[in-house]
Amino acid sequence: MSPPTFRLYNTLTHETEPVEPIEEEHLRFYSCGPTVYTYAHIGNFRSFVTADLIRRTAEAIGWDVTNVSNITDVGHLTQDDLVDPGGEDKMKQALEREGERFANIYDLARHYTKAFLEDWRALNLREPEVRPRATEHVTDQLHAVIELVEKGHAYTTDQGVYFSVESFDDYGHLSGNTQAQQLQATDRDVVEDPDKQDPRDFALWKHDPDHLMHWHSPWGWGYPGWHIECSVMGMQYLGDRFDLHTGGEDLIFPHHECEIAQNQSLAGHQVINYWVHTRFLQVEGEKMSKSKGNFYTVRDLINPGPEDDHVPAPIRKQGGVDPLALRYTLLQGQYRKPFNFTLDTLRTAARHVQRFQDASERVDEAIEANVDGPDPIGPQLGDCYDRMLEAMCDDLNTPAAAAAALEGVKVIEQADKLSVAAAHSARHWLDRTNDLLGIVEPEHETDASSEASEQEVISGDHLADSVEELLDEREAARTDGEYARADAIRDTLEALGIEVMDTPDGTEWQRKTEL
RNA sequence: GGUGACGUGGCCGAGUGGUCAGGCAGAGGCCUGCAAAGCCUCCUACGGCGGUUCGAAUCCGCCCGUCACCUCCA
């Protein structure tokens, strides 16, 4: 069977289109990464998950993938175009807020970069081929700015270098913000540079020798504008024609609009064919914000500290959720639709992820047991996989793909006995499902997770001894028909957070999930 | 005001002209000493008003509503 056609919604054309890579069967794309001035939140990661799913889907249909995903570690102004009287930027603000923790702005950026990469791996995101840092490409950015000036697309003032929007006819194509009056000076500039020629013009370089990060340039000491880094790093690693660019919906304007203007002015032609944008998520029906108490970083949910009291108590009590449950939750909504992140969805996701893991264990045991027999489930699982892939190729329809995956795991659960042949089919399906959706098992070994699991094993063992003792006692009571005593023991265990289940194969127990 | 996305059962969420989504919650049943888990069954919706059609959740128009961007934000 030939693989389905991979289709994605292209913001540039407002249509869902077949993805046709410039190089046959080789998708090359750029993903806008984070500014590393704080911990990334679950909304940030919704966007990175989209990029990851594009990669996985492309790989699943047999394509090669080259992905560039940047780290923005330059402190840009809090207002894009503003020469702030106080010279504040996000990273400087963060440094002032947390001054004692970091020796300087580079320290701060390093810390949050490291944290970001840990979260990235925890959520089973595959590594990009290139992960460039903005600070390591400032010279390249300078060259690009010089070239834009030379080509007549930019001009200098005392305060910096600006891109001349008038020099680029197609400005506004991506966002629809074509009318100049939409960008009134009062809207865009809090402090106007009197020498700016058009209110729509945006900064390529800021003259500011006092900025915490500054570099030498033909226009004196200063730092680059926000938009130029992505243009430069994208074209440096992917060339002046590549396939696709991803980011959050807020980046459509101004960031990507400006990036297109820069790219095409530098290259002289269209550089990127497809633009894919992920919608913001809401939390419990509201915009995520610290003041509403519904603002979650990734680490809030997977590894909350005792003092993180904005994290719901059930999550804190059980020491955080499985990162894959968080990932699975994010798959419950298609990237282009509004998505309401709720505790309820997270709870359900945790249960479903557990089912995949249980099925995976059962399959491994069946392979070990090596019992001869027929394989009645192989074809069903193959069909499930086809539907998953079809759904993913249809503009990353993750809810439909997840539904098909759930059907597959059900097929494995319901199989009475797993012959070794059936188990191999199941193993194959689970592996391919994990390749496509990343929801079965972690693909990275992280220090944090191995430490945590080690601890869990230790405390688990300790707990297990006392639980087993109580269960033996209960079993004895049950055999003697002393059900009142047996139930009392069960109540005791329940109070300890242990759930008891009597199965045909004997009594089993597990930690009750608090969610 | 400009631009864009979206509006499906108690909740989440598939579905682009005529047969089923799926999940969660809820109800009943099987199983169980009783539970739990699991399994089976049930709950049949498409914002409103027009239009096209033999037939519309699905196409068209208008209206209403939600969200987002237009200042940094994924």
Side-chain angles (χ1 to χ4, degrees), chain A residues 198-270:
Chain A
D198 185 314
R200 297 174 299 168
D201 293 348
F202 55 90
L204 296 170
W205 185 264
K206 279 289 182 188
H207 173 66
D208 181 3
D210 296 327
H211 195 257
L212 278 180
M213 289 180 171
H214 55 259
W215 291 265
H216 186 62
S217 82
W219 314 282
W221 291 91
Y223 61 99
W226 174 36
H227 313 302
I228 193 71
E229 67 177 57
C230 286
S231 285
V232 165
M233 293 188 286
M235 289 202 273
Q236 174 156 349
Y237 292 104
L238 296 169
D240 66 359
R241 291 181 198 272
F242 60 94
D243 300 309
L244 193 147
H245 192 126
T246 66
E249 63 169 332
D250 57 309
L251 298 182
I252 295 171
F253 191 91
H255 186 54
H256 290 163
E257 195 73 76
C258 296
E259 200 178 325
I260 288 173
Q262 294 163 349
N263 284 356
Q264 302 198 13
S265 297
L266 286 166
H269 52 73
Q270 180 167 316

Side-chain angles (χ1 to χ4, degrees), chain A residues 178-185 187 199-200:
Chain A
T178 52
Q179 287 163 315
Q181 65 264 31
Q182 292 311 312
L183 297 167
Q184 291 297 331
D187 290 341
R200 297 174 299 168

Side-chain angles (χ1 to χ4, degrees), chain A residues 127-176:
Chain A
E127 286 299 310
E129 278 64 27
V130 187
R131 203 192 278 284
R133 285 171 169 76
T135 51
E136 291 169 2
H137 292 272
V138 174
T139 308
D140 305 312
Q141 295 177 57
L142 268 169
H143 289 322
V145 176
I146 291 167
E147 192 179 334
L148 285 169
V149 173
E150 282 170 355
K151 287 186 169 165
H153 287 289
Y155 59 92
T156 59
T157 73
D158 287 346
Q159 297 187 6
V161 183
Y162 292 93
F163 185 91
S164 169
V165 167
E166 201 197 25
S167 77
F168 180 65
D169 290 341
D170 213 25
Y171 193 81
H173 184 157
L174 182 74
S175 63

Side-chain angles (χ1 to χ4, degrees), chain A residues 169-384:
Chain A
D169 290 341
D170 213 25
Y171 193 81
H173 184 157
L174 182 74
S175 63
N177 289 335
T178 52
Q179 287 163 315
Q181 65 264 31
Q182 292 311 312
L183 297 167
Q184 291 297 331
T186 47
D187 290 341
R188 204 165 193 193
D189 303 327
V190 179
V191 176
E192 170 75 347
D193 180 342
D195 298 325
K196 236 172 84 170
Q197 294 171 2
D198 185 314
R200 297 174 299 168
D201 293 348
F202 55 90
L204 296 170
W205 185 264
K206 279 289 182 188
H207 173 66
D208 181 3
D210 296 327
H211 195 257
L212 278 180
M213 289 180 171
H214 55 259
W215 291 265
H216 186 62
S217 82
W219 314 282
W221 291 91
Y223 61 99
W226 174 36
H227 313 302
I228 193 71
E229 67 177 57
C230 286
S231 285
V232 165
M233 293 188 286
M235 289 202 273
Q236 174 156 349
Y237 292 104
L238 296 169
D240 66 359
R241 291 181 198 272
F242 60 94
D243 300 309
L244 193 147
H245 192 126
T246 66
E249 63 169 332
D250 57 309
L251 298 182
I252 295 171
F253 191 91
H255 186 54
H256 290 163
E257 195 73 76
C258 296
E259 200 178 325
I260 288 173
Q262 294 163 349
N263 284 356
Q264 302 198 13
S265 297
L266 286 166
H269 52 73
Q270 180 167 316
V271 174
I272 299 161
N273 295 331
Y274 305 88
W275 290 82
V276 174
H277 293 101
T278 303
R279 283 211 67 160
F280 277 13
L281 56 73
Q282 294 184 284
V283 176
E284 306 291 347
E286 290 190 288
K287 180 165 177 150
M288 183 165 65
S289 73
K290 283 181 177 158
S291 60
K292 282 179 180 137
N294 65 352
F295 185 97
Y296 304 130
T297 65
V298 170
R299 47 199 53 216
D300 278 342
L301 297 180
I302 66 179
N303 194 17
E307 281 106 58
D308 291 332
D309 44 13
H310 65 287
V311 177
I315 293 178
R316 241 181 316 146
K317 241 172 122 180
Q318 66 176 47
V321 299
D322 184 339
L324 293 190
L326 179 51
R327 181 183 170 102
Y328 191 96
T329 303
L330 294 174
L331 301 189
Q332 291 312 295
Q334 196 244 12
Y335 76 96
R336 210 153 58 74
K337 287 197 174 176
F339 178 67
N340 186 15
F341 184 96
T342 66
L343 208 54
D344 194 52
T345 311
L346 185 60
R347 177 193 307 121
T348 305
R351 286 218 291 265
H352 288 328
V353 165
Q354 188 62 47
R355 285 173 67 185
F356 284 100
Q357 288 163 359
D358 290 346
S360 183
E361 273 175 40
R362 184 170 171 228
V363 164
D364 286 343
E365 283 162 16
I367 290 173
E368 188 88 6
N370 197 19
V371 175
D372 278 339
D375 172 18
I377 63 174
Q380 280 173 278
L381 291 176
D383 176 61
C384 280

Side-chain angles (χ1 to χ4, degrees), chain A residues 13 32 88 126 190 192 248 468 504:
Chain A
T13 58
C32 269
E88 292 288 291
R126 289 191 169 164
V190 179
E192 170 75 347
E468 294 294 346

